[in-house]
Amino acid sequence: MNKLNELYMREALKEAQEAFEEDEVPVGAVIVFDNKIIARGHNQIERLKDPTAHAEMIAITSAANFLDTKWLNQANLYVTIEPCSMCAGAIVLARIKKLYFGAKDPKTGACGSVVDIANHKKLNHRVEVSGGVLKEDCSLLLKRFFARLRSSKRLN
């Protein structure tokens, strides 16, 4: 695996850890342009009371603001879990060049697991997708979060 991809995914994992500490589902994302991280995001659904406040959505908005454009066609997105349909749609609309994700999402993954919005034939843009980057680390953080959640519900 490319060491640079691992480096960027570790940065996405830092974002996911921040979400974990805020009692959010631990998903983190970074966007890279010209080999520099230009945007970061982590889930803030609970804090903002906003079902669209996914890590990818926050990072895409931040990157578009940073570059002052709606097209991110030379940018790469690193996210700790396979994006859902909402995020995959936003990735396509932003025209992200490449998507790297850590863990697959067999329940809501929209980049190949359940559906493949990122490469749907009828859409005007397709995203190059590479899954499994540091998948064990990404999966472990999610497992720890849901184990903690189940444990706290049993204690209440």
Side-chain angles (χ1 to χ4, degrees):
M1 183 176 304
N2 182 323
K3 292 291 181 192
L4 207 49
N5 288 340
E6 288 183 10
L7 173 83
Y8 294 135
M9 189 60 75
R10 289 204 188 286
E11 291 299 313
L13 276 163
K14 288 179 186 175
E15 289 294 317
Q17 182 63 42
E18 195 168 328
F20 182 91
E21 291 165 8
E22 295 171 4
D23 289 326
E24 298 275 359
V25 175
V27 179
V30 297
I31 295 182
V32 176
F33 179 80
D34 280 344
N35 295 315
K36 288 183 241 139
I37 295 173
I38 62 164
R40 296 172 174 273
H42 62 272
N43 277 2
Q44 296 181 45
I45 297 159
E46 301 301 326
R47 179 201 308 173
L48 299 176
K49 309 278 187 274
D50 179 356
T52 69
H54 290 203
E56 301 95 321
M57 302 296 281
I58 292 167
I60 288 169
T61 299
S62 180
N65 287 333
F66 180 85
L67 295 174
D68 195 27
T69 182
K70 62 183 177 181
W71 306 130
L72 303 175
N73 54 348
Q74 295 303 311
N76 297 333
L77 170 63
Y78 293 80
V79 62
T80 56
I81 192 169
E82 180 181 358
C84 70
S85 56
M86 175 184 67
C87 293
I91 290 163
V92 169
L93 291 173
R95 298 186 181 173
I96 295 280
K97 183 177 182 180
K98 293 181 183 177
L99 164 67
Y100 298 90
F101 68 83
K104 283 191 173 208
D105 186 345
K107 293 184 180 179
T108 64
C111 296
S113 288
V114 177
V115 294
D116 193 358
I117 292 172
N119 283 289
H120 196 285
K121 294 175 195 154
K122 291 193 175 188
L123 297 177
N124 68 337
H125 178 72
R126 287 171 198 62
V127 181
E128 189 177 326
V129 177
S130 182
V133 180
L134 299 179
K135 67 181 175 184
E136 291 82 13
D137 294 345
C138 296
S139 293
L140 181 61
L141 189 56
L142 287 160
K143 287 175 185 173
R144 283 181 41 223
F145 175 80
F146 287 109
R148 180 178 77 181
L149 188 64
R150 283 188 299 276
S151 175
S152 70
K153 283 184 178 179
R154 273 185 243 140
L155 296 174
N156 290 333

